[in-house]
Each structure stands twice: as structure tokens, then as C-alpha cells.
Amino acid sequence: MQSQGEAEGKGGKGEKVAGATASKELSISPDSVSLEAADEVTETKAITRNLLLKLDTRILPVFILLVLTSFLDRTNVGNAKVYGMNEELGLTDRQFQQGLVVFYPLYILAEIPSNLILKKVTPRIWLAVMTFLWGLFCLVLGLIHNFDQFVALRALLGLAEGGLFPGMVLYLSTIYTRSELGLRIGILYTSTSLSSGFGGLLARAMGAVGNRGGLTAWRWIFVIEGLFTILCAVFTYVMLPNNLSTAGFLTKEEKDHAIARQSGLLSGETGSKEAEEKFSWSEVRRAFAYPLVWLTASAYFGLLSGIYSIGIFLPTIILKLGYTAHEAQLMTVPPYGVAAVMTLVVAFTSDRLKVRGLVMLCTMPIAIIGYAVIANIGNEYPKVKYGATIMMATGIYSSVPPVLAWLSNNSAGHYKRATTAAIQLSIANCGGILAVFLYPDVDAPAFRRGHTVVMSLLIAGWFFILSNVLVCRKINQDKAKGRYDKYIGYGDDRDPSFKLVL
């Protein structure tokens, strides 16, 4: 038999061993937990990468085509004019301006109603129908014979296109997070600059074709672009999912992850509440009372005045520098090419830094300098003036994705965001009406008045953007001080945990 001391000694040793083992397990446990957490984060990042790849490759090509055709079909009259449309139809300079202007009233009036019914009709059907209609109207423009027909079809074209861009911005805000939206809008807006460059190349090709099949060169521009747009409408209906939950190309795990990313106020999203949100006029009124709408829309008005005037009149501006019609069409390509690259760089930077207005304060001066140069340099320096057009296009186009993403980022509640996006674009698109009158033939070849007006609008816009940055900063400070605590749990942009992007 063992003595009591031996037993106790063994028992003590056993306890020590057990205690050491337990101590060892406890010391390992935190590391195990941290490793598991790291694995979970890595897995989540992998799922997010695959998800974004699928969303980008399925949705963005559709929207790129829609933006491309939209801007082609609304600005191709500038290319058609260079190839003799006005002469064949017997249009005076004033009648041509009237034909351009009538595009915008119905275009602007369509934006808010279109966004409010987008969710009800479903994006796939609504966007496809709009695309088919404006493609049809563009095609028929190639078959017209007088001023009345020109005006009527331009008005119908505006009505059909009105809901496109606000609808796309609203749709993308339900698919991507706030920090991902800027780059995607940047990619889309790159299509606008590329469309203008592509329009120049296509117009040059139609000029080479000349009169075929009973149609003159300018008519072929409308017919071919209209047919292409109709094909894009079919492509949209087939490819575009209505929302994340009905995206058939996503697995169940990817759908759940995508929907979860859009929910959770702490991450800056309100998707879980928005999915169940019912229409309310109070949300529409809240949008109209939002100061960020009016500040960003005012700045965007100046930007679109420049974009539309460049899109319509750049071939004419270059032509008046002393180049031939064919040369002018081809020389419209480099400004848009440079603008496209810069737009992507700015959009990527804006997303990476998670700022919008601060980026615009740096990009808008590029265009301001370009307009200042081209307005004050004589025509004896055509290369310098042509270089200024590159600065004009680059500064303007690269400023648009941040201003669009900015308001969407800072508006929460589905119907408020739907309304704010539409209001912003409605006001800004009035710049298209102004743009029509900025470059009359009587001001050729210098077009000093038009350049000066756009430059002035951009300078004013720069101060609107600065003001908006300061307003957003003040609201964030007030939320941090508890002045918005009464809105805790509202699940919209008033909630204290919803921080505005600067």
C-alpha cells in the first residue's frame, strides 16, 4: 500500500499536470479564435470579390450599352449637321436650335415620374421599353423630310430617354454599397465620352459611304444608330436582373451575402428597410427640402451645360479652327478618349478615398482653365485651342461621377433617394436647353460667348460644391454632438449613425 504522503504527492503531481494542461489550453484559445476570425474575414472577402465580379460583368455591360446609345442618339444631330442635314431639310440656324431645345422639356419632366414607378414596373421591363422607343425614334429621324417632323421626333426622343440615367443611378444604389458606387457610375459615364468619340468615327464612316440605298450620309447615321439601340433593348430585357434576390446568375450564398451587404445602418446602408418600404409622399417632400439636392444640382447644371454643348458642337468648333469636315469628325476622338481615362481614374480615386466633393474641387478647375484658354486665344493658334478642348472635356466628364454618386450616397430611404436623384438630373438637364444656344454660327469661328458662359457656370459650380462639402461636414458634426438623436432607428439619412460623405 502506498503511504498517505506518496498518494498525496502523486495527487499533487496530477493536479499540477492537469493545471498545466488547462493553462496551456487557455493560452492557445485566443490564438485559435483569432485564426478562425481571420479565416472568416478572408472567406468573406473572397465571396465579395466573386460577387462583385459577377455583378460587374452582368450589369455594367448592359448599362454601358444603354448610356452609349443614349448619348449617341441625342447628340448625333451635331454629326448630321456637318454632313448637310440642315441644307437638305431646309433648316435655318434658328430652326436647328429649336429642334435641339424640344428634346429637353419632356426629357426633364419624365425623370421624377419614371424613377417613382421604376420599382413597380421592374427595372428590366421599364429600361428595355424606354430603350426600344428611343431607338425607334432615332431610326425614324433618318427618314424625315421637314422641320415639323424633325421637331416632333426630337421631342419624343427626349420623352423616351428621360428616365434612363436617374433610373440607372437608383438601380445601382440598390446593388452596390456606398463606397462602390462612384467607380460604377464612373464606368458608365466613361461611355458618354466614348459614345461621342465613337459617334465621330461612325459619322466619318457614313461620310465615306456617302449616298447609298436612297439615303444620304447623314440619314445613315440615324438609321444605323437607331437599329443598334433597338438591339440593345432586347439585350437589356434578357440580361438585366430586377434586384439582388432575383439575380439568377448568383448562388444562394452570394445572394444572401449581397443582400446582407446592403443592410445594416452602421455600414452606411439601409437596404433591409428599403426593401420593405412603401411609397410615401412625405419621402418625396423630404427630398425636395434636402439642401444637398439643390447645391449638387446647381453645380451639375454647369457641368451638363458644358457636356451637352461639347457633345453637339465640338465637331463644329473644330471645323471652324480651319480643318475639313472629315478631319473635324476624327479630331473629336482624342478629347473624349483622354476624358474617358481621366473619368475612370477620378472615379476609382473617389471610391478608394471615400470622398466626392473634395475630388471635384480638384477636377473642375481643369475644365475652367480649358475654357479660359479657348475663349481668349486667337484662331491663329489652332493647336493650342484644340488642346484646350481636351482640357474642357477632361475636367467636365471626370467631375460627373462624383456628383452623381455623392447625392445618392447621402440620401437614404428608397423613395427619397429615387426623388433626389431625379430632381438633381431634372435641374441639371436644363443645361441642355442652355447649351443649344451657346454656339450659334454667327459667333464662329471663336465662339467666345459660349466658352465664357460655360466657364462662368463652372466657376459658380465650384463654389456650390465647396458649400455642399461644408454643409455635409456640419451635419456630421451635429450628429456627433447628439443633435440628431431623435432619429435613432429611423433607418434613413437622418439617423445619427448614417454619416454623410464629403
Side-chain angles (χ1 to χ4, degrees), residues 219-242:
R219 294 181 181 276
W220 278 114
I221 294 174
F222 291 116
V223 170
I224 291 178
E225 291 179 8
L227 287 173
F228 179 68
T229 300
I230 291 172
L231 291 177
C232 288
V234 177
F235 182 71
T236 299
Y237 181 79
V238 172
M239 296 294 291
L240 190 69
N242 283 322

Side-chain angles (χ1 to χ4, degrees), residues 17 62 78 119 157 189 207-208 222 244 330 346 348 354 368 421 458:
V17 171
V62 176
K119 187 177 181 180
L157 187 66
Y189 227 82
F222 291 116
L244 290 170
L330 291 176
V346 169
F348 177 80
K354 297 182 180 180
I368 292 171
L458 293 177

Side-chain angles (χ1 to χ4, degrees), residues 37-50 257 261:
D39 290 341
E40 186 175 337
V41 170
T42 302
E43 183 181 356
T44 300
K45 287 183 177 179
I47 294 174
T48 300
R49 279 196 303 271
N50 291 334
H257 180 64
R261 278 169 16 101

Side-chain angles (χ1 to χ4, degrees), residues 98-401:
Q98 291 171 344
L100 298 182
V101 167
V102 295
F103 173 91
Y104 294 101
L106 293 181
Y107 180 96
I108 293 166
L109 289 174
E111 290 180 311
I112 294 178
S114 177
N115 252 21
L116 293 178
I117 67 173
L118 179 69
K119 187 177 181 180
K120 183 73 173 178
V121 180
T122 73
R124 187 175 74 153
I125 294 176
W126 188 240
L127 294 177
V129 168
M130 285 193 299
T131 307
F132 175 83
L133 289 175
W134 91 61
L136 180 64
F137 297 145
C138 178
L139 186 153
V140 178
L141 269 169
L143 308 176
I144 61 175
H145 297 285
N146 55 54
F147 169 69
D148 292 340
Q149 294 170 348
F150 176 60
V151 168
L153 283 166
R154 284 285 298 177
L156 291 173
L157 187 66
L159 178 65
E161 285 194 30
L164 176 67
F165 220 90
M168 288 193 301
V169 172
L170 176 62
Y171 176 87
L172 290 175
S173 71
T174 67
I175 301 295
Y176 295 98
T177 63
R178 296 169 81 195
S179 61
E180 296 163 352
L181 191 60
L183 178 59
R184 274 71 193 183
I185 293 178
I187 292 171
L188 294 186
Y189 227 82
T190 298
S191 304
T192 66
S193 55
L194 291 178
S195 71
S196 299
F198 177 71
L201 290 174
L202 179 61
R204 174 66 183 85
M206 293 303 97
V209 169
N211 301 336
R212 299 288 179 90
L215 299 178
T216 50
W218 69 265
R219 294 181 181 276
W220 278 114
I221 294 174
F222 291 116
V223 170
I224 291 178
E225 291 179 8
L227 287 173
F228 179 68
T229 300
I230 291 172
L231 291 177
C232 288
V234 177
F235 182 71
T236 299
Y237 181 79
V238 172
M239 296 294 291
L240 190 69
N242 283 322
N243 49 52
L244 290 170
S245 61
T246 61
F249 56 91
L250 298 179
T251 65
K252 185 180 185 306
E253 180 185 29
E254 289 169 337
K255 287 181 184 178
D256 292 341
H257 180 64
I259 294 170
R261 278 169 16 101
Q262 289 297 91
S263 64
L265 195 59
L266 292 178
S267 61
E269 314 300 339
T270 57
S272 59
K273 295 180 180 293
E274 291 182 15
E276 303 167 358
E277 184 182 346
K278 302 298 182 183
F279 175 76
S280 170
W281 282 109
S282 64
E283 286 295 285
V284 176
R285 289 192 294 270
R286 204 161 66 84
F288 275 94
Y290 203 33
L292 276 62
V293 173
W294 304 100
L295 290 171
T296 58
S298 298
Y300 195 15
F301 172 85
L303 291 170
L304 279 191
S305 296
I307 284 176
Y308 285 134
S309 59
I310 287 176
I312 296 172
F313 295 108
L314 186 58
T316 302
I317 292 171
I318 296 175
L319 181 71
K320 300 301 182 180
L321 292 178
Y323 299 97
T324 66
H326 290 331
E327 288 173 338
Q329 298 287 12
L330 291 176
M331 289 178 71
T332 61
V333 178
Y336 295 120
V338 175
V341 174
M342 184 66 172
T343 300
L344 290 178
V345 171
V346 169
F348 177 80
T349 303
S350 176
D351 271 2
R352 179 59 62 92
L353 299 179
K354 297 182 180 180
V355 294
R356 308 299 185 198
L358 297 178
V359 172
M360 293 181 66
L361 294 177
C362 299
T363 56
M364 292 180 70
I366 298 174
I368 292 171
I369 294 171
Y371 276 100
V373 170
I374 198 170
N376 294 286
I377 296 287
N379 265 31
E380 61 270 22
Y381 302 103
K383 292 182 179 179
V384 175
K385 300 192 78 164
Y386 178 68
T389 66
I390 296 177
M391 295 184 68
M392 291 153 51
T394 300
I396 289 179
Y397 276 96
S398 63
S399 299
V400 171

Side-chain angles (χ1 to χ4, degrees), residues 475-491:
I475 292 174
N476 284 341
Q477 289 175 340
D478 288 345
K479 287 184 176 183
K481 293 176 181 177
R483 293 173 183 169
Y484 282 75
D485 285 355
K486 64 180 179 180
Y487 297 113
I488 291 176
Y490 272 50

